[in-house]
Amino acid sequence: MADPVAQAEILLEALPYIRRFRNKVLVIKYGGAAMLDDTLKAAFAQDVVLMKLVGMNPVIVHGGGPQIDDILERLGMQSRFVRGMRVTDRQTMAAVEMVLAGQVNKEIVALINHHGGHAVGLSGKDGGLFTARKLTMRDDGGEPVDLGLVGEVAAVDARVIESLDAGDFIPVIAPLGAGTDGETYNINADLVAGKMAEALQAEKLVLLTDVPGIRDGEGKLLPAVSPEQVTRLVADGTINGGMIPKVECCIQALQAGVRKAHIIDGRVKHAVLLEVLTRAGVGTEVTRAPGGRRARRAPSAATGTPSAANAVGSANTK
């Protein structure tokens, strides 16, 4: 039987972080294994509901890559990626919108509501939340690549989110937006999360992934990386594929005034709470400059979470 005094102490450890982040916006990009495993899905919903109940304002931006892959496979369609971006023709776009704005978004909303929250699902089209434009990209050789109906966020009107936050609702955003040309664009969810964090001047931007964090060339987990380190790691191929838009959006968000940006391991149960309410971490912090990262402890092999004894710390280091 758990020691009630120890349980009380664990709760008290969260107090300075609850105080610090009260009424603050935290933008969380939800994706990967955390969206597929039932235990992790429930844990994520519980984390978000708890954050809202103690006075924080979580804003969720979700992906849906595995679900899109599944429906495209069923339809006999193949996906092609360039620097982590899915090339999207009109036929693919129809499937993407059906999965993201229909199936996935509503499942997340229902799950959060099931655990006691009040979530509202929307995309960039709703209330003019954000306007999209066609994304232009070059391949590794510098040649232009046509990604089809793949976009980027051109502008954000955060009034919809601010109204939902004030009304005690939890926004859940699908990464789809309409352009001034009338087209619907598929936008990388990491990039949408970064732009939302910028527009809302979020306290934290947290990206859930299926890896422990960013590793160096020898495979060692880096507790923190600076923009200069990221540039080198991308240039030598250590950071590649889907990790590229993640680190890029973190750097851009920090430059635009977001206080903290983290790439964390969504395969760890309650990863979001561990990042927000304890000193223990489950990934890599992208910093404005080298250094300044709090000490981290790797997740316990037995529990999948850092031990409570190593979660103690001052909120001033968060």
Side-chain angles (χ1 to χ4, degrees):
M1 183 175 180
D3 181 354
V5 175
Q7 290 179 317
E9 290 175 349
I10 291 171
L11 291 173
L12 287 173
E13 288 167 11
L15 182 58
Y17 304 117
I18 293 173
R19 184 182 296 117
R20 174 173 175 175
F21 298 135
R22 183 172 179 80
N23 296 322
K24 301 292 187 181
V25 173
L26 295 92
V27 176
I28 304 164
K29 187 277 178 138
Y30 178 47
M35 294 181 67
L36 301 175
D37 180 89
D38 287 341
T39 299
L40 293 177
K41 288 195 291 185
F44 175 80
Q46 291 164 352
D47 291 356
V48 170
V49 171
L50 178 59
M51 290 165 64
K52 189 67 176 180
L53 288 175
V54 298
M56 302 177 198
N57 290 317
V59 175
I60 313 304
V61 179
H62 67 82
Q67 294 90 334
I68 294 171
D69 290 340
D70 180 63
I71 193 66
L72 291 179
E73 183 178 349
R74 294 185 191 183
L75 295 171
M77 301 165 61
Q78 292 186 338
S79 294
R80 183 166 68 91
F81 292 86
V82 177
R83 288 175 63 87
M85 303 289 189
R86 186 188 302 272
V87 178
T88 307
D89 58 19
R90 291 193 181 281
Q91 189 176 8
T92 302
M93 186 68 236
V96 167
E97 185 164 18
M98 176 179 67
V99 172
L100 292 180
Q103 174 193 344
V104 175
N105 188 270
K106 302 317 173 192
E107 285 181 357
I108 297 169
V109 168
L111 188 62
I112 292 173
N113 291 346
H114 173 73
H115 286 279
H118 297 91
V120 174
L122 64 164
S123 74
K125 295 180 177 182
D126 295 300
L129 175 56
F130 55 82
T131 305
R133 64 177 169 233
K134 185 178 177 64
L135 177 66
T136 57
M137 180 174 285
R138 296 184 180 275
D139 62 21
D140 294 335
E143 295 298 319
V145 178
D146 184 2
L147 299 175
L149 295 173
V150 174
E152 61 183 342
V153 177
V156 176
D157 184 344
R159 289 178 297 172
V160 175
I161 302 302
E162 291 166 351
S163 295
L164 291 172
D165 283 343
D168 204 32
F169 293 101
I170 300 169
V172 179
I173 304 168
L176 300 166
T180 56
D181 56 4
E183 295 280 12
T184 297
Y185 288 97
N186 176 26
I187 308 175
N188 180 279
D190 299 315
L191 302 184
V192 172
K195 290 300 182 183
M196 292 306 306
E198 292 176 24
L200 295 165
Q201 286 295 283
E203 185 73 13
K204 280 182 181 286
L205 168 63
V206 180
L207 308 181
L208 273 69
T209 69
D210 284 346
V211 296
I214 298 173
R215 296 184 183 274
D216 63 16
E218 298 177 353
K220 180 182 178 182
L221 180 64
L222 297 171
V225 292
S226 67
E228 293 76 17
Q229 288 174 292
V230 167
T231 299
R232 291 196 298 270
L233 293 170
V234 171
D236 67 18
T238 301
I239 294 178
N240 55 67
M243 186 60 74
I244 293 175
K246 296 182 192 301
V247 294
E248 288 178 344
C249 83
C250 285
I251 292 170
Q252 291 169 9
L254 292 170
Q255 293 172 341
V258 176
R259 281 183 53 89
K260 296 280 187 178
H262 307 267
I263 297 174
I264 70 172
D265 192 346
R267 300 168 302 174
V268 176
K269 189 177 178 182
H270 297 298
V272 175
L273 284 190
L274 288 169
E275 184 55 58
V276 175
L277 296 181
T278 76
R279 264 190 110 226
V282 285
T284 300
E285 179 180 337
V286 182
T287 65
R288 290 187 175 86
R293 177 60 162 177
R294 62 189 184 278
R296 291 300 207 179
R297 183 180 188 275
S300 163
T303 63
T305 60
S307 67
N310 288 277
V312 183
S314 165
N316 293 329
T317 65
K318 291 286 278 185

